[in-house]
Amino acid sequence: DTGVSQNPRHKITKRGQNVTFRCDPISEHNRLYWYRQTLGQGPEFLTYFQNEAQLEKSRLLSDRFSAERPKGSFSTLEIQRTEQGDSAMYLCASSRAGTAESQYFGPGTRLLVL
Amino acid sequence: GEDVEQSLFLSVREGDSSVINCTYTDSSSTYLYWYKQEPGAGLQLLTYIFSNMDMKQDQRLTVLLNKKDKHLSLRIADTQTGDSAIYFCALTKDGNNRKLIWGLGTSLAVNP
């Protein structure tokens, strides 16, 4: 069990550029979640997938944000036309559908938009 | 978050017990979790409790749940300097076992 991995770990971009982050969940987990965390705050839910289906999206997720999980394994989160307010830590978690469904988190991707 | 509240800071001496508190508003939450976040690191799941339990013990960690008062606590026995971190309370919302709602976190400082 290698845990949840995320790439890149850090990303610096200029305002207006597009960025894409990748998350590889724990292999037997069929649920995958994206959260965003800013300094001094708890994580905020963005979206989640069960297998390849995106089942819920937060109102926080504007039209500039899109997430995919094409084969029900890894997921990508793309932000188009980045804004300075997008600067945050983007966290991915995975879980196995069942009772407690405990979510296990990756190390996060820290995004800085200049 | 406004649905989950935690005190922001706690300072204890090494070897003492730490008690981190959390209050919440959604009585339909099924699972309640405690996560630990060290500087620059991701979130580590420490423990969870099911809503029909009132206590769970796991080595140095004890979780207490008072459903009537909507109060959750995490007790760390024999606190060590390595326990210094931010501790988040998180819970499922509206009976939805998928989306977690989080507190702002309690920053625990352990002094030698």
Side-chain angles (χ1 to χ4, degrees), chain B residues 12-54:
Chain B
V12 300
R13 264 196 264 183
E14 191 173 15
D16 288 350
S17 291
S18 309
V19 179
I20 302 170
N21 295 300
C22 173
T23 57
Y24 58 95
T25 57
D26 187 350
S27 58
S28 67
S29 295
T30 311
Y31 291 97
L32 301 97
Y33 304 85
W34 284 103
Y35 283 83
K36 174 183 180 183
Q37 188 172 39
E38 295 179 85
L43 289 148
Q44 176 192 353
L45 175 65
L46 289 178
T47 187
Y48 69 90
I49 190 166
F50 185 47
S51 57
N52 69 352
M53 300 168 65
D54 51 21

Side-chain angles (χ1 to χ4, degrees), chain A residues 50-77:
Chain A
Q50 177 156 316
N51 300 314
E52 64 275 9
Q54 187 174 18
L55 296 187
E56 189 170 348
K57 286 173 63 169
S58 165
R59 285 170 297 197
L60 292 173
L61 218 60
S62 77
D63 292 344
R64 297 183 298 105
F65 287 71
S66 62
E68 293 183 341
R69 194 182 183 200
K71 297 180 182 176
S73 57
F74 73 91
S75 175
T76 57
L77 177 69

Side-chain angles (χ1 to χ4, degrees), chain A residues 40-42, chain B residues 6-9 20 86-89 102-107:
Chain A
Q41 302 291 316
Chain B
Q6 300 179 238
S7 51
L8 293 182
F9 301 101
I20 302 170
I86 300 176
Y87 290 80
F88 288 95
C89 165
W102 299 74
L104 293 181
T106 299
S107 180

